[in-house]
Amino acid sequence: MASASLGLASELNSFSKNNFLSSSDLKNNQILSLFELAKQLKIGNRRIDLGNRVLGLIFKKASTRTRVSFQVAMARLGGQTVDLNPQVTQLGRGEPIKDTARVLSRYCDVLAIRTFAQQELEEYAEWATIPVINALTDLEHPCQALADYLTIQEKFGALKGINLSYIGDGNNVANSLMICGAMLGVNVTICSPNGFEADQRIVNKAKSLSEFGSKISICNDPSKSVKEAQVIYTDVWASMGQEEEYLKRKKIFEKYKVNRNLIDLADDDLIVLHCLPAHRGEEITEEVLESPSSHVFDQAENRLHVQQALLAVQLGGL
Ligand code: CP
Ligand code: NVA
């Protein structure tokens, strides 16, 4: 037990003070060690007190899970969170990121940022002298992918060789699922309508990071994509910032609804995941979301445990 704990700490200590901007910022062994720590925190086997450290939250988009799970994670680590929404700070009046990032680095110990462009997040990271976390951009949602794969590992006891079929828009959630899944040995298929496929640069990046023979595929046929899937995953058809495309997308994505017929084609021990919030009757039916196959609330809970582990590591609390 003692040597296992030491191994865990040495894998993770190398990530102390690092940014988490993309799923690719953590290596395979670090992700698996983070999951071990998250599970220990979850069952109460481990307590970490960081001694009143402060997380700054800069959220340009709405959030329930990410915001609250970060707040609760920080409280459980003995720290605090300050809300730095652009509406209530000088950011909203045009103060440059390079000034904001340097000032906030003098008050806070870590920043979690939800915004539109990944480039904006990278600019914060460039100027901040404290770790920066991606709390969702248009390109990636890496904290979500950690919670997703922790949930899958808990359900199946392993990750290598699991087939995950994501049905819907090739968006930020799909991108992080591909990158993180590739590193963990999960076979990830992203099945989207023509013209809404995942960004080819991210597909290539995921393929280049593939471990244990994991396969990353893109397809347009939901029925084919879910054959042999142990995990079916979906997300909204129009992400935050795409509201004006909502009606157009609703028509185009209709065949990409996760419904009873689709899940009947998959593996018998299938689980269904959704990052939430869900639009019932659109990307997923009420029946499937509320079915025994759905593990969406365990998945949402794991946001807390995995982010608590991430913060503990980044703030050097091991
Ligand atoms: N899944 C997720 O990130 O949810 P929120 O938008 O509520 O944070
Ligand atoms: N793809 C969604 C995820 C929300 C958690 C969005 O960006 O709005």
Side-chain angles (χ1 to χ4, degrees):
M1 190 63 195
S3 65
S5 296
L6 279 177
L8 185 74
S10 68
E11 282 297 341
L12 290 174
N13 275 333
S14 58
F15 196 68
S16 175
K17 311 263 186 292
N18 279 17
N19 296 320
F20 187 51
L21 308 183
S22 163
S23 289
S24 59
D25 287 341
L26 281 166
K27 296 188 188 76
N28 162 287
N29 285 345
Q30 291 173 325
I31 300 172
L32 293 173
S33 299
L34 200 71
F35 288 176
E36 289 314 305
L37 178 59
K39 286 188 277 191
Q40 288 176 11
L41 292 165
K42 184 173 181 173
I43 59 172
N45 262 5
R46 182 88 186 252
R47 280 189 191 282
I48 299 174
D49 192 335
L50 298 177
N52 212 17
R53 311 291 279 281
V54 176
L55 164 68
L57 294 178
I58 305 175
F59 277 40
K60 270 198 182 174
K61 298 178 178 178
S63 169
T64 297
R65 278 144 290 271
T66 310
R67 177 188 297 282
V68 179
S69 56
F70 267 121
Q71 286 170 327
V72 174
M74 207 56 197
R76 288 191 180 182
L77 291 166
Q80 297 183 43
T81 314
V82 286
D83 218 329
L84 302 164
N85 278 348
Q87 299 95 302
V88 296
T89 63
Q90 299 287 6
L91 273 169
R93 297 177 60 248
E95 185 165 11
I97 288 174
K98 65 179 181 179
D99 293 356
T100 306
R102 281 179 289 180
V103 170
L104 294 179
S105 296
R106 305 285 179 110
Y107 306 143
C108 300
D109 299 285
V110 56
L111 293 174
I113 299 173
R114 170 168 287 201
T115 190
F116 294 86
Q118 181 80 9
Q119 206 184 340
E120 194 179 300
L121 180 79
E122 283 165 8
E123 194 180 343
Y124 274 105
E126 187 188 333
W127 290 99
T129 53
I130 55 176
V132 174
I133 299 172
N134 182 346
L136 181 147
T137 62
D138 291 347
L139 192 71
E140 277 205 53
H141 197 1
C143 294
Q144 180 69 53
L146 290 178
D148 301 340
Y149 286 114
L150 173 59
T151 309
I152 294 168
Q153 190 197 52
E154 285 178 334
K155 298 297 165 199
F156 293 101
L159 288 161
K160 280 183 221 168
I162 292 284
N163 299 322
L164 181 149
S165 174
Y166 171 99
I167 311 288
D169 187 27
N171 62 15
N172 43 11
V173 168
N175 287 343
S176 287
L177 279 173
M178 272 191 291
I179 297 171
C180 194
M183 290 193 289
L184 293 169
V186 178
N187 302 314
V188 181
T189 303
I190 307 292
C191 180
S192 316
N194 227 323
F196 295 88
E197 291 94 347
D199 185 331
Q200 192 56 47
R201 288 167 307 171
I202 303 291
V203 177
N204 294 342
K205 179 175 177 177
K207 284 184 177 171
S208 74
L209 293 167
S210 162
E211 301 244 15
F212 315 111
S214 62
K215 294 192 194 74
I216 303 298
S217 343
I218 299 297
C219 80
N220 302 112
D221 182 342
S223 308
K224 271 193 200 148
S225 139
V226 300
K227 291 222 167 88
E228 296 174 23
Q230 283 100 32
V231 183
I232 294 183
Y233 196 119
T234 190
D235 182 19
V236 291
W237 292 337
S239 285
M240 290 180 277
Q242 297 173 329
E243 288 79 6
E244 75 288 355
E245 293 180 34
Y246 171 71
L247 289 175
K248 181 185 102 182
R249 283 172 175 254
K250 221 174 141 191
K251 282 189 198 133
I252 296 171
F253 279 77
E254 189 56 33
K255 285 193 199 129
Y256 293 77
K257 192 187 290 292
V258 174
N259 56 22
R260 169 63 54 195
N261 291 345
L262 193 70
I263 72 167
D264 281 348
L265 299 173
D267 224 62
D268 286 343
D269 57 355
L270 167 87
I271 67 166
V272 175
L273 298 181
H274 190 310
C275 58
L276 302 178
H279 290 183
R280 288 167 158 84
E282 293 181 17
E283 74 275 2
I284 189 163
T285 59
E286 170 86 11
E287 185 193 9
V288 171
L289 193 68
E290 298 292 351
S291 73
S293 306
S294 167
H295 288 73
V296 298
F297 297 107
D298 294 336
Q299 180 187 5
E301 180 189 332
N302 279 336
R303 297 292 307 275
L304 166 63
H305 307 302
V306 86
Q307 286 162 206
Q308 190 180 342
L310 179 71
L311 288 168
V313 172
Q314 283 179 309
L315 294 172
L318 295 191

